[in-house]
Amino acid sequence: MSGNDVKTITRTILPGSTIGILGGGQLGRMLANAGSAMGYRFVTLDPTEDGPMGQVSEQITAAYDDHGAALRLAERSDVITYEFENVDAEVAAMLMSESYVPQGSELLYTTQHRLREKAAITAAGVPVAPYREIASEEELRAGVASFGMPCVLKTAMGGYDGKGQWVIRSEEEIPEAYEMLSKAKTELVLEQFIAFDKEISVIAARSTNGEIKAFPPAENIHVENILHLSIVPARINEELQRKAEQLAVRIAESMNVVGLIAVELFVTKDGALFVNELAPRPHNSGHYTMEACRTSQFEQHIRAICGLPLGDTTLMSPVVMVNVLGQHVEPVVKRMAERDELADKLGVAPKLHLYGKKDAVFKRKMGHINVLASTIDAALKWIEETTIWKV
Ligand code: AMP
């Protein structure tokens, strides 16, 4: 895969067509559920039999870098998309020549690597936290001296949910931080620590026709680096909400995004916005759209790659999305099987989504609940008073 895409000719992919998805996890499953309702068929390429998406669509069971299997996916699909960004470079290039991949490979190439991503965001005129590339322990020492502590050392590729990063709080940590992260065999990036007031995200979609729409920002609360809550509307003023949406639109435009782009941002006390990172796919912090917006992020992604007009992104109800991890499954399922008097009393509607994963491993994302309510406080109260998320 290279940074130069051959310009793809856009097509309109109508209902009845087959959409192929690289990856068959929960994002693929929710894309397939949304798209099936619109009349599309789905096929996934995924190494795990009977996974979240395979349960609701056809599946080719093979490794992601299996060229023969990717070719079969291409043969069966009218359009191909992906549900994770670490798509094998050669497979992406092959699919580009054998099939219709309206998202291209450049967006993947850029967002797979923090340095390339930050350069692209900066080129769009959007601020990121001050950063520099680190190629030696000496450079790290100099970087720490210039940014001050704490600061954050990250691997350029492969990190997720806080993995592949080290918050440096004292000079003594420098050799160990450098040694540990160097093992990843990728460039390292040092970032100034942003003393953020809030973390938010905006998901924007750009269609093959160039139309762009953003969803309302979500306020995200992480616990041990895993997303716990997305609160919408985000508890920031309206002007900042509009500004965050505009930044996401600017990024989508400047990077020629097709499909969804999730933009994670830090908000400081004085109202400055810095982009932390991007994801060119449906995002956990956009699951709230499923019941709370007129169009879900999944439907929007399908509309965007199929060349249909984008859907209305208006928020219909305040909502708090809470993730259901392995340790929450049992109490959640039990609660859903009974009349929920607390929900009735608070006037909230908890909508459960489970992904069909068999092993409820501790901290594994198994599902989520969109708690629809007339106020954010009522939704938060339900989450608090069920006591399910105390563990
Ligand atoms: P990331 O993998 O880049 O999304 O980072 C995971 C989490 O670490 C973020 O959601 C933040 O809470 C925190 N974090 C990452 N980079 C910074 C930074 N430059 N300043 C402050 N917090 C950060």
Side-chain angles (χ1 to χ4, degrees):
M1 180 167 32
S2 80
N4 301 315
D5 269 357
V6 185
K7 195 102 202 92
T8 22
I9 296 155
T10 62
R11 305 175 202 168
T12 304
I13 307 293
L14 291 173
S17 307
T18 300
I19 299 175
I21 303 188
L22 274 170
Q26 63 263 29
L27 301 177
R29 178 187 179 99
M30 291 184 274
L31 281 168
N33 285 341
S36 301
M38 299 162 77
Y40 291 97
R41 291 174 176 276
F42 285 84
V43 53
T44 177
L45 169 61
D46 193 274
T48 315
E49 197 82 61
D50 197 38
M53 183 172 170
Q55 293 167 17
V56 301
S57 76
E58 281 186 60
Q59 177 167 340
I60 296 166
T61 307
Y64 295 128
D65 58 358
D66 180 330
H67 284 217
L71 209 53
R72 272 182 282 141
L73 181 75
E75 279 162 11
R76 282 159 74 168
S77 307
D78 297 299
V79 57
I80 288 185
T81 184
Y82 45 82
E83 56 125 50
F84 60 91
E85 52 266 59
N86 293 317
V87 176
D88 180 82
E90 283 176 34
V91 164
M94 188 271 279
L95 289 175
M96 287 288 296
S97 64
E98 296 301 320
S99 183
Y100 176 50
V101 188
Q103 289 165 281
S105 61
E106 191 171 346
L107 183 60
L108 274 174
Y109 179 77
T110 306
T111 53
Q112 277 172 353
H113 193 285
R114 289 190 193 271
L115 286 163
R116 294 198 286 260
E117 183 175 284
K118 287 177 193 298
I121 298 165
T122 307
V126 174
V128 295
Y131 70 99
R132 53 162 90 173
E133 183 176 351
I134 300 296
S136 67
E137 198 181 309
E138 288 68 52
E139 285 187 19
L140 178 57
R141 221 167 264 288
V144 171
S146 107
F147 288 147
M149 286 179 284
C151 53
V152 194
L153 186 65
K154 300 181 179 179
T155 56
M157 294 182 85
Y160 68 96
D161 285 349
K163 293 185 181 77
Q165 49 182 283
W166 188 301
V167 180
I168 299 177
R169 297 182 189 278
S170 74
E171 280 185 22
E172 289 75 64
E173 294 174 35
I174 291 176
E176 201 188 343
Y178 184 76
E179 198 200 318
M180 281 298 289
L181 295 200
S182 297
K183 286 183 187 154
K185 303 265 175 281
T186 164
E187 288 88 347
L188 299 180
V189 189
L190 185 68
E191 290 176 19
Q192 188 174 316
F193 192 86
I194 303 294
F196 57 80
D197 181 40
K198 293 210 154 59
E199 289 188 87
I200 62 167
S201 56
V202 176
I203 295 167
R206 183 173 172 276
S207 83
T208 52
N209 305 320
E211 186 187 9
I212 305 181
K213 279 193 175 156
F215 287 98
E219 173 186 340
N220 299 320
I221 296 180
H222 297 88
V223 173
E224 290 176 24
N225 282 313
I226 300 173
L227 183 65
H228 171 45
L229 303 176
S230 290
I231 299 169
V232 191
R235 293 169 298 182
I236 53 174
N237 68 46
E238 295 245 340
E239 191 190 329
L240 260 181
Q241 293 187 35
R242 296 295 88 75
K243 196 172 159 204
E245 286 170 17
Q246 282 160 11
L247 294 186
V249 166
R250 205 186 295 167
I251 287 171
E253 211 156 36
S254 164
M255 292 175 70
N256 279 320
V257 166
V258 169
L260 298 178
I261 186 90
V263 181
E264 293 183 39
L265 304 110
F266 298 131
V267 187
T268 65
K269 275 232 155 14
D270 50 6
L273 295 170
F274 296 96
V275 172
N276 176 30
E277 63 178 2
L278 307 178
R281 53 167 172 78
H283 196 259
N284 194 167
S285 68
H287 293 355
Y288 81 86
T289 58
M290 294 175 87
E291 283 96 8
C293 290
R294 286 194 175 159
T295 306
S296 75
Q297 63 166 344
F298 302 102
E299 176 179 342
Q300 199 76 312
H301 183 70
I302 289 161
R303 287 179 166 275
I305 62 166
C306 290
L308 305 181
L310 294 181
D312 182 353
T313 56
T314 303
L315 185 72
M316 297 186 293
S317 165
V319 58
V320 177
M321 189 272 338
V322 57
N323 265 337
V324 174
L325 305 183
Q327 63 270 34
H328 308 132
V329 172
E330 212 183 293
V332 158
V333 168
K334 191 162 165 271
R335 188 168 192 103
M336 290 297 153
E338 292 159 6
R339 181 89 237 147
D340 191 331
E341 277 158 19
L342 176 63
D344 293 345
K345 189 183 96 191
L346 294 170
V348 306
K351 305 286 182 185
L352 174 64
H353 299 262
L354 286 175
Y355 309 146
K357 296 182 187 176
K358 274 164 223 81
D359 302 319
V361 177
F362 185 67
K363 286 190 176 178
R364 186 179 194 201
K365 289 178 184 171
M366 302 294 289
H368 68 272
I369 300 179
N370 286 333
V371 188
L372 302 175
S374 52
T375 65
I376 290 302
D377 285 346
L380 289 172
K381 200 159 189 209
W382 182 84
I383 292 165
E384 166 85 17
E385 290 191 6
T386 61
T387 69
I388 291 169
W389 288 273
K390 298 257 188 250
V391 285

